[in-house]
Amino acid sequence: MRQAFLASVFLVSPVFAQINGDLAKPFHDHKVVRVTVEDQAQLDAVLKEADQLWSHRVGIGPVEVIVDTQSFDALRDMGFAPVTLVEDLQGMVDKERAEIDGRSILLDLEWFENYHPYDEVIAYNNGLAADFPDLASVSVIGESIQGRDIIAIEITGPGDRSDRPTVFFNGGQHAREWIGPAATTYFADRLLNLYADDGRVRGLLDKVVVKIVPIVNPDGYSYSWTNNRFWRKNRRDNGNGTRGVDLNRNWDINFGGQGASNDPDSDIYHGPFAFSEPETAAIRDYIFTDPNMVAHVDFHSFSQLILYPWGYTETLVPEPDYSFFVSFSQFLSDTILSVHGEFYTPQRGIDLYPASGICSDWTYSVGLKGWTIELRPNSSNPGFELPPGEIIPTGEENFEAILAIMDRFKDPIRLSFPDGEIDTAFDLEATTVRVQAEGLIDQIDGLSLEVRPDVSTGFVSIPMTDLGDGLYEADVPALSCGRSFEYYVAGLTTGGGDLRLPEDGDLDVGVISEVVTHEDDAETDLGWTVGDSGDTATTGIWNRMNPQATEAQPEDDNSPNGVNCWVTDGQAGGGLGDRDVDGGGTTLTSPAFDATVTGDWLSAESHISYARWYSNDRGAEPDSDHMPIHISNDGGNTWVELEDVTENRNAWVTKSFAIADPSDNMRLRIVARDDSPGSIVEAAIDDIRVLIRGCQYHPSDLNRDGTTDASDFFAFLDLFAASDPGADLDLNGTIDAGDFFAFLDLFADA
Ligand code: 0X9
Ligand code: ZN
């Protein structure tokens, strides 16, 4: 609904005066304000007036800055109408410090009820390693410019770790983001303290090595405690009276490109050359010493974001990585949400704003899956000063995310079904099973599809073909309707390990026939009704058209041969929140259709299927609306819910449901609802079909004349004599006595 301010923010070199770091009360008489600038000249004027940037984001649109009273007045006189976010910044800093000082440092988790200076964070990590010598060790992996240790804590279960994948987490690249060191230390604490009693943690740590660097930038972190609470960079003496390199612009990935500054005074100064800083060089070398490292998260604050590559370019990372980042980042977001209800937006870094030379882009470029997670809070007030009482909740929700990452990367080789698990095969059609293998730290040495058809007791092995890029496939030969088989994938790694997908058990597949008896691809209007007496939506009313793409709305319909679909106002409008659903619900009701089973079937069931698009994860109040879809078998008098859509795929998703009581007077109804003023709601529907699924013939009725009799027996003998693959009923690759007995079994079952 509300127009979200998104990207198209371009970065400029912020020119702002350095805070005088040695004053006891540097922020006396200072506020944090938001102004909206309309062009570069206005932006320059604001930056000239401001003391320091509050947000790292700077461009046309809203900009948040620290100003003193004089500058505040100056901005107001220039006509900027500054909105005050923090009235008394020094008061806020003092209050934070008083709260920190007033808290007693107690044992165990209470340590995490407060923030701690550099020495205490290091001491706490050392204490953990001392308490759990079988599970953890701390090493010094480098030294900061001012000679402070950069430490790493490594955690894994006892035993041989050489074939365990490593996941790597760090905090504290940015000095003022105190929750980063706190949360990463919390992860170390929980992993170690839960190992003994929590089977999930133990199971993961027995397969994965976790490495954590809680403070990448010790000098900056210390300085933010002693001098300037809002210091961001390291403390490099730049030689021209300015201090500090932004470590998160110093990595060797598009170094010096957009979103980084060559002005040493800037908060996003990239430094003289990539890895010029001992802090970034130390982390680089640490990563390179571990060939098993597979995934990495660089923890920052604030904004509650899960950012994936690239951060510097609009070019998408190649597949399958792109799809992986989209879906797994969404999964991480859902995982975090499930803990305390906090929403972390998953998105590409570049879609936030461009930034060059960032850590997680670099880790991705050297072969890891790399993320930047921006922790709590989600708003500029309190921004970097997340209250100490929120350390543990932030730690808890992100602990679930790091466990999810450990789980996802725990195997030296990971197998998955890129098209999902197959549960249905079609009459007399071979079924292709595809497997995606990701060699995280090992290689595949052959995969096979293990199939057990209904007539056999054992599995037969079908070798899978290597299609390249880790993709393997094999065909289960055609079977007739009514039959079934089980399957799983088995293999070996070159390291000698066993592979199996699924990890336990087999997948069951039934062979069916499918006939489409009603088809509506929305290319013409078959008699739909837009609107209902209860509708209150004022915009985003359903219409049928070739949709115009927005961030939330599809560019194309779903049908391969069409252009139109039903969509909640398919026009793009001037902005994202312009023509989405606003002000309540908008209802779309289908014409009546016949879902009864027609034709001769031994057994049959009617299904309804449709393709739907739903987007509600943009805007100021994401994930707050829903789209109920109902079906009626009495022309619209009574309705049964099929699903209540909340899943934000921002993509076409085909759903299919069995119809409990099919009639010849069915209707489908879709209500796209906008109940939260701040959310963006876009929906579409296409390719509505009725499918009859079942079998028209018994599998022993080989000549398909409707009865199983002697003629089928002779038909089988003909196939058998001709060595026709259709006679290989047990799928063992040869036509032999086993098939003969299998046929007798099917025959007896008729
Ligand atoms: O700008 C940064 O370095 C990170 N944000 S912060 O406020 N913690 O400084 C975010 C970098 C993420 N990447 C992109 N936005 N491209
Ligand atoms: Zn940061």
Side-chain angles (χ1 to χ4, degrees):
M1 173 174 219
R2 176 129 43 93
Q3 170 147 4
F5 171 73
L6 272 169
S8 79
V9 179
F10 61 88
L11 281 156
V12 293
S13 312
V15 191
F16 48 84
Q18 200 92 28
I19 290 278
N20 182 343
D22 297 321
L23 287 177
K25 301 264 183 206
F27 301 107
H28 175 70
D29 213 14
H30 283 68
K31 303 174 194 299
V32 178
V33 299
R34 182 183 297 143
V35 293
T36 302
V37 296
E38 272 152 24
D39 54 35
Q40 187 64 44
Q42 290 191 355
L43 181 60
D44 290 343
V46 168
L47 292 175
K48 199 157 165 244
E49 205 51 62
D51 269 16
Q52 195 169 347
L53 271 173
W54 184 252
S55 57
H56 43 269
R57 180 187 325 199
V58 48
I60 308 305
V63 180
E64 294 165 10
V65 288
I66 300 176
V67 289
D68 61 15
T69 313
Q70 224 178 333
S71 300
F72 180 87
D73 294 344
L75 288 177
R76 202 192 41 212
D77 295 346
M78 286 186 256
F80 280 113
V83 177
T84 302
L85 301 174
V86 179
E87 176 66 49
D88 171 12
L89 186 57
Q90 187 63 48
M92 187 176 175
V93 173
D94 292 346
K95 203 166 139 258
E96 181 192 48
R97 181 54 61 97
E99 185 170 2
I100 289 169
D101 290 346
R103 286 178 173 239
S104 55
I105 297 167
L106 292 163
L107 297 171
D108 297 332
L109 272 185
E110 285 175 62
W111 194 83
F112 294 99
E113 295 191 347
N114 212 344
Y115 293 103
H116 300 275
Y118 167 79
D119 286 337
E120 289 177 21
V121 175
I122 304 308
Y124 193 87
N125 279 276
N126 280 321
L128 284 174
D131 286 350
F132 297 95
D134 299 338
L135 300 174
S137 63
V138 167
S139 51
V140 176
I141 64 163
E143 230 179 53
S144 68
I145 288 181
Q146 294 173 344
R148 291 183 180 87
D149 288 345
I150 301 169
I151 62 129
I153 183 165
E154 304 190 0
I155 304 169
T156 193
D160 179 12
R161 57 161 71 187
S162 59
D163 63 351
R164 292 180 188 171
T166 304
V167 296
F168 174 49
F169 307 115
N170 72 271
Q173 277 207 87
H174 287 147
R176 61 192 174 183
E177 300 164 14
W178 289 1
I179 183 61
T184 48
T185 302
Y186 178 87
F187 304 154
D189 179 282
R190 290 296 83 201
L191 287 171
L192 291 167
N193 278 293
L194 292 174
Y195 182 86
D197 299 323
D198 184 324
R200 186 170 59 133
V201 169
R202 189 170 57 252
L204 291 171
L205 276 180
D206 285 347
K207 297 188 81 171
V208 181
V209 178
V210 178
K211 299 189 175 180
I212 295 173
V213 174
I215 304 183
V216 172
N217 174 11
D219 298 345
Y221 186 72
S222 300
Y223 191 73
S224 72
W225 276 77
T226 53
N227 293 63
N228 179 346
R229 175 66 186 84
F230 303 110
W231 189 255
R232 168 181 167 98
K233 302 186 283 182
N234 74 356
R235 291 294 297 160
R236 161 77 66 191
D237 181 349
N238 292 323
N240 63 347
T242 71
R243 287 260 186 179
V245 167
D246 183 358
L247 297 182
N248 207 28
R249 298 295 181 274
N250 190 238
W251 298 76
D252 191 11
I253 179 77
N254 203 45
F255 179 81
Q258 62 171 341
S261 170
N262 58 14
D263 173 359
D265 200 20
S266 164
D267 246 357
I268 52 171
Y269 173 48
H270 49 56
F273 53 89
F275 294 122
S276 58
E277 304 311 292
E279 295 88 356
T280 48
I283 308 295
R284 171 199 62 196
D285 295 344
Y286 183 60
I287 290 172
F288 278 155
T289 56
D290 184 346
N292 290 2
M293 213 174 258
V294 290
H296 162 247
V297 182
D298 178 23
F299 284 94
H300 287 250
S301 71
F302 55 94
S303 292
Q304 300 185 189
L305 306 168
I306 299 169
L307 303 172
Y308 51 88
W310 293 112
Y312 73 90
T313 174
E314 289 286 349
T315 308
L316 299 183
V317 300
E319 292 290 4
D321 292 359
Y322 181 67
S323 297
F324 166 75
F325 274 118
V326 171
S327 65
F328 194 70
S329 305
Q330 179 65 52
F331 176 70
L332 291 176
S333 170
D334 295 344
T335 301
I336 291 173
L337 185 79
S338 71
V339 180
H340 293 299
E342 287 297 323
F343 181 70
Y344 287 52
T345 309
Q347 63 181 141
R348 279 192 305 163
I350 185 79
D351 290 335
L352 180 65
Y353 54 79
S356 291
I358 68 170
C359 177
S360 58
D361 274 0
W362 183 82
T363 54
Y364 174 66
S365 76
V366 298
L368 317 191
K369 297 290 188 293
W371 285 268
T372 303
I373 292 188
E374 299 275 3
L375 297 165
R376 291 194 196 185
N378 60 18
S379 68
S380 296
N381 187 352
F384 303 107
E385 295 193 279
L386 181 69
E390 287 196 49
I391 298 169
I392 290 176
T394 305
E396 286 169 340
E397 65 205 13
N398 285 278
F399 186 61
E400 287 303 316
I402 70 140
L403 291 182
I405 291 172
M406 289 166 69
D407 187 56
R408 181 62 179 66
F409 291 94
K410 66 180 186 294
D411 297 306
I413 290 185
R414 199 189 131 82
L415 300 181
S416 60
F417 292 116
D419 317 315
E421 295 177 355
I422 294 168
D423 58 9
T424 307
F426 294 96
D427 183 37
L428 302 180
E429 285 177 28
T431 306
T432 301
V433 176
R434 296 204 307 153
V435 169
Q436 180 71 51
E438 262 176 283
L440 299 175
I441 62 166
D442 202 350
Q443 302 294 311
I444 295 265
D445 188 21
L447 285 182
S448 64
L449 182 62
E450 302 292 319
V451 180
R452 193 184 73 79
D454 46 5
V455 296
S456 312
T457 47
F459 281 83
V460 297
S461 203
I462 303 172
M464 299 195 85
T465 309
D466 182 353
L467 301 178
D469 290 332
L471 205 56
Y472 289 76
E473 73 168 37
D475 278 354
V476 180
L479 295 174
S480 38
C481 201
R483 293 196 55 194
S484 62
F485 61 89
E486 292 163 49
Y487 75 97
Y488 66 93
V489 171
L492 286 175
T493 75
T494 44
D498 287 325
L499 296 169
R500 199 185 193 286
L501 185 70
E503 269 174 57
D504 326 280
D506 318 312
L507 301 167
D508 289 322
V509 179
V511 184
I512 61 158
S513 291
E514 190 174 80
V515 175
V516 178
T517 59
H518 169 78
E519 168 117 45
D520 182 347
D521 62 6
E523 294 311 312
T524 55
D525 182 355
L526 299 185
W528 291 71
T529 310
V530 171
D532 186 77
S533 53
D535 284 3
T536 54
T538 50
T539 60
I541 309 301
W542 288 100
N543 69 348
R544 195 182 57 83
M545 65 179 282
N546 180 356
Q548 297 171 354
T550 72
E551 291 244 13
Q553 180 161 288
E555 180 177 358
D556 293 309
D557 76 333
N558 181 66
S559 333
N561 294 320
V563 295
N564 294 330
C565 59
W566 288 98
V567 48
T568 51
D569 195 341
Q571 298 180 77
L576 185 58
D578 213 17
R579 284 174 178 264
D580 74 314
V581 183
D582 279 349
T586 173
T587 303
L588 177 69
T589 310
S590 80
F593 55 85
D594 183 356
T596 54
V597 174
T598 49
D600 283 336
W601 294 79
L602 291 179
S603 59
E605 203 177 30
S606 303
H607 290 251
I608 177 129
S609 91
Y610 48 78
R612 54 141 162 97
W613 176 290
Y614 185 68
S615 173
N616 179 223
D617 56 357
R618 322 273 153 138
E621 284 181 274
D623 294 295
S624 47
D625 290 311
H626 64 124
M627 178 168 76
I629 302 185
H630 286 80
I631 195 165
S632 168
N633 67 359
D634 55 11
N637 289 325
T638 57
W639 296 92
V640 175
E641 185 175 285
L642 290 177
E643 59 169 340
D644 191 10
V645 184
T646 51
E647 169 194 48
N648 289 299
R649 292 282 285 272
N650 287 289
W652 286 104
V653 177
T654 298
K655 297 296 272 186
S656 174
F657 299 88
I659 302 176
D661 291 306
S663 79
D664 61 1
N665 192 18
M666 312 276 317
R667 284 181 202 271
L668 186 69
R669 186 182 76 186
I670 304 103
V671 187
R673 298 207 60 86
D674 170 64
D675 297 323
S676 334
S679 79
I680 305 285
V681 176
E682 291 287 9
I685 190 137
D686 199 5
D687 294 324
I688 299 91
R689 294 197 177 95
V690 175
L691 307 152
I692 311 297
R693 294 179 151 191
C695 286
Q696 285 165 304
Y697 303 98
H698 189 271
S700 61
D701 183 7
L702 280 196
N703 62 8
R704 306 213 149 177
D705 62 359
T707 49
T708 295
D709 55 19
S711 64
D712 299 303
F713 189 76
F714 294 121
F716 177 72
L717 288 185
D718 283 348
L719 293 175
F720 192 89
S723 290
D724 187 298
D728 186 15
L729 299 180
D730 62 8
L731 302 180
N732 73 347
T734 55
I735 294 161
D736 53 18
D739 299 306
F740 187 79
F741 293 117
F743 182 72
L744 291 186
D745 274 357
L746 294 177
F747 197 87
D749 184 53

